[in-house]
Amino acid sequence: LLIDADPQGSALDWAAARKGEPLFSVVGLPRPTVHKEISQIGQGYDHIVIDGPPRVTDLARSAIMASDVVLIPVQPSPYDIWAADEVVKLIEEARVYKEKLKAAFVVNRKIANTAIGRDVVDSLAGYGVRVLNSQVAQRVLFAESAAQGKTVFEVDPSSVATAEIQQLTQEILNLQGG
């Protein structure tokens, strides 16, 4: 199940762009009650992914409280690195109620062979939140597959983008404990 809790509705737009049968269910829930509704909405699903808002809001707080693992996507830019501070504070706040809440940074839209792309992990180290080894580079295939409402697995299963997502998925499952 993919829950789109972002008012922008990108996940819903992605699902709507797809022709044919969906791979999985996608529902919109852009309200600050996700943590209260997830047990009912998520019944029968093995994995639930919540696409949260990019800013710290009541909606983001609710999405974090609904989660077992929080992934914080960070582009290699000073702005994303600085903005991470607010999200980390929300996670620390949530851990008062959910001691076993796990969190990790995911480097996203990395541009290969750039200094900031290499240095982003060091820049995030001061936050005390794990940085996943898997990194997702900025690739045209991600935009092309999104425009079709598909995954990179469907568009080009042998691509580097697909390999990056496979590696990231495995690392997330390991973090999750399953």
Side-chain angles (χ1 to χ4, degrees):
L1 174 64
L2 175 57
I3 296 175
D4 192 344
D6 183 350
Q8 289 179 319
S10 303
L12 287 171
D13 291 344
W14 169 79
R18 184 178 185 87
K19 291 180 177 40
E21 291 295 311
L23 284 178
F24 45 80
S25 300
V26 180
V27 293
L29 196 60
R31 51 186 186 252
T33 55
V34 176
H35 66 290
K36 294 178 182 177
E37 299 178 57
I38 196 156
S39 61
Q40 184 176 1
I41 292 170
Q43 283 184 350
Y45 291 96
D46 294 327
H47 299 281
I48 302 169
V49 174
I50 302 171
D51 178 19
R55 287 174 200 81
V56 173
T57 62
D58 287 344
L59 222 161
R61 188 173 277 110
S62 181
I64 289 170
M65 288 302 295
S67 300
D68 296 322
V69 177
V70 178
L71 301 174
I72 309 161
V74 178
Q75 293 183 44
S77 91
Y79 303 110
D80 274 30
I81 294 166
W82 298 330
D85 185 56
E86 290 182 1
V87 178
V88 170
K89 286 178 182 169
L90 265 188
I91 291 166
E92 289 169 357
E93 185 182 297
R95 283 187 174 142
V96 170
Y97 305 99
K98 293 185 79 167
E99 292 177 14
K100 295 183 180 182
L101 181 64
K102 297 175 184 174
F105 288 112
V106 178
V107 177
N108 185 31
R109 300 184 77 181
K110 179 181 175 182
I111 300 173
N113 301 319
T114 61
I116 190 132
R118 288 187 300 275
D119 298 341
V120 67
V121 173
D122 292 336
S123 299
L124 293 171
Y127 287 112
V129 173
R130 177 180 173 173
V131 181
L132 296 184
N133 294 322
S134 307
Q135 297 184 351
V136 180
Q138 186 165 320
R139 301 188 186 284
V140 172
L141 185 58
F142 289 120
E144 290 173 348
S145 61
Q148 298 173 44
K150 293 183 177 183
T151 68
V152 291
F153 295 88
E154 297 170 287
V155 176
D156 188 350
S158 62
S159 69
V160 175
T162 299
E164 287 175 347
I165 297 302
Q166 285 174 322
Q167 183 180 4
L168 176 61
T169 300
Q170 190 57 55
E171 196 169 2
I172 293 167
L173 290 172
N174 292 341
L175 176 66
Q176 187 181 14

